[in-house]
Amino acid sequence: MRDLVKRRLDLDFDPASVPRDWYAGDAHMTTMVSALSLLFPEGERFFVDSVRRYRSRLRDPELLKSVDAFIGQEAMHGRGHRAFNGMLRAHVPDAQVTERAEKQLRRLLGFVRATLPPRAQLAVTCALEHFTAILAEQLLQRDDQRDDIHESVRGLWVWHALEESEHKAVAYDVYQALGGDYPLRVVVMATTTLVFFAELINVHVRLLRARGELGNRSGWAGLRRRLWGRQGLLRPLVPAYLDYYRRDFHPDDRDTSALLRTWQERLFGERGELRERLVEPRAA
Ligand SMILES: [Fe+2]
Ligand SMILES: [Fe+2]
């Protein structure tokens, strides 16, 4: 079992010092990754609620500790992305676009909360935590992907990636501790994949339209290459995504411990890149 750390970070983003196309100088990639950021605060609140609901049923003290750290980490990510999303609003000509997107997501999650049984809601969290875990691992591994993120905002994404990778097994372990229903887990993953990408595309299109880039064909072609090209953002992740459908899958099958040690030191070690942003380091 891993020792998770709750870190409090003081992050602020000045719209004047963040380029509008902060991701690879590319409007389509920037709006797509911005759409992801807009989904994070409400999404992570959902993750926390779906796990916290089962806290009193857990008996393993190590798992309980991990759950508390998971909750603390996700709450901080929500804060970090809310600050980031506030900065994004200054870059979108119609600031209400972001508010409308967030409102729509709240409605969608409200529907999920009202209709899915708690166990299935936890399975949704496990599915999305697998997405964030494999994206995070890739971001920590690939210099080219980190270099695509402008340095003024890179810290947020790398810190978030580190912690997603650190706590990648927590929701899954809770699900397993409750009996781990395999058919439900994979059906929910398949459905969540469809709903998640539909929602991401929906927000992305809204942002592109607000910026007048929706009809830019070369922008769309570039986006396809950057996502699905051989070295793209998504194509190399397909095998890791499919691993989740194995009956004996566990997030720790992918051993990221050395990668995590490297990044814990690089970000928060004695001369860590984000050390001075740290407000209150606490061991969970
Ligand atoms: Fe997170
Ligand atoms: Fe997470």
Side-chain angles (χ1 to χ4, degrees):
M1 192 58 75
R2 61 215 66 81
D3 270 334
L4 293 175
V5 177
K6 286 189 253 182
R7 306 176 182 93
R8 252 177 85 89
L9 253 69
D10 180 22
L11 293 172
D12 55 61
F13 305 96
D14 174 10
S17 57
V18 180
R20 184 155 93 145
D21 291 333
W22 56 268
Y23 194 105
D26 181 286
H28 278 63
M29 275 305 285
T30 299
T31 41
M32 202 209 65
V33 187
S34 297
L36 187 62
S37 180
L38 286 169
L39 300 181
F40 272 134
E42 285 298 326
E44 295 187 309
R45 198 196 308 260
F46 175 87
F47 298 171
V48 165
D49 290 346
S50 70
V51 170
R52 184 161 31 208
R53 188 179 286 129
Y54 288 107
R55 197 184 176 286
S56 62
R57 302 249 310 256
L58 303 174
R59 293 289 161 261
D60 176 355
E62 288 295 316
L63 184 54
L64 270 169
K65 261 170 61 178
S66 296
V67 162
D68 290 341
F70 166 84
I71 291 171
Q73 288 191 339
E74 293 294 28
M76 279 310 297
H77 302 165
R79 274 177 62 157
H81 280 276
R82 262 191 293 277
F84 182 81
N85 297 344
M87 177 278 297
L88 286 180
R89 278 182 243 287
H91 288 174
V92 184
D94 175 5
Q96 283 190 342
V97 164
T98 60
E99 267 122 68
R100 280 198 292 270
E102 284 165 341
K103 208 163 137 190
Q104 197 183 41
L105 176 67
R106 269 198 297 277
R107 268 207 304 272
L108 172 66
L109 289 175
F111 175 76
V112 171
R113 287 175 198 264
T115 53
L116 285 193
R119 185 75 61 103
Q121 293 185 38
L122 180 60
V124 170
T125 296
C126 293
L128 290 168
E129 283 286 283
H130 184 56
F131 282 162
T132 55
I134 60 180
L135 275 164
E137 181 184 343
Q138 182 174 251
L139 185 68
L140 297 178
Q141 258 166 355
R142 281 181 48 182
D143 296 347
D144 62 324
Q145 287 195 353
R146 289 193 310 281
D147 289 346
D148 277 341
I149 302 174
H150 191 264
E151 59 186 358
S152 59
V153 296
R154 195 181 296 142
L156 168 74
W157 292 91
V158 179
W159 159 64
H160 195 167
L162 170 67
E163 295 194 349
E164 287 306 319
S165 198
E166 284 177 336
H167 73 225
K168 65 181 177 178
V170 176
Y172 191 90
D173 284 343
V174 172
Y175 186 79
Q176 292 304 118
L178 297 165
D181 180 334
Y182 172 70
L184 177 68
R185 173 166 75 77
V186 293
V187 167
V188 167
M189 174 51 116
T191 321
T192 302
T193 304
L194 293 175
V195 175
F196 171 74
F197 279 103
E199 180 60 15
L200 185 65
I201 291 167
N202 166 42
V203 180
H204 182 209
V205 164
R206 283 166 182 260
L207 291 176
L208 276 177
R209 190 186 294 124
R211 285 191 46 180
E213 294 280 354
L214 194 57
N216 179 347
R217 281 191 181 192
S218 65
W220 282 106
L223 181 73
R224 209 179 76 186
R225 203 172 47 249
R226 282 181 177 277
L227 294 181
W228 293 105
R230 202 170 288 276
Q231 281 303 304
L233 201 71
L234 295 180
R235 182 163 159 183
L237 296 180
V238 171
Y241 164 75
L242 292 174
D243 274 351
Y244 191 85
Y245 290 88
R246 286 196 344 253
R247 189 175 280 273
D248 63 349
F249 165 82
H250 188 278
D252 287 339
D253 293 345
R254 300 179 69 79
D255 182 3
T256 41
S257 48
L259 186 67
L260 292 183
R261 275 196 300 277
T262 300
W263 278 99
Q264 284 155 353
E265 184 59 29
R266 195 164 155 182
L267 295 184
F268 301 109
E270 208 136 302
R271 297 170 61 189
E273 294 162 23
L274 293 179
R275 197 180 167 88
E276 57 186 45
R277 298 290 192 153
L278 217 45
V279 179
E280 192 188 348
R282 280 187 292 157

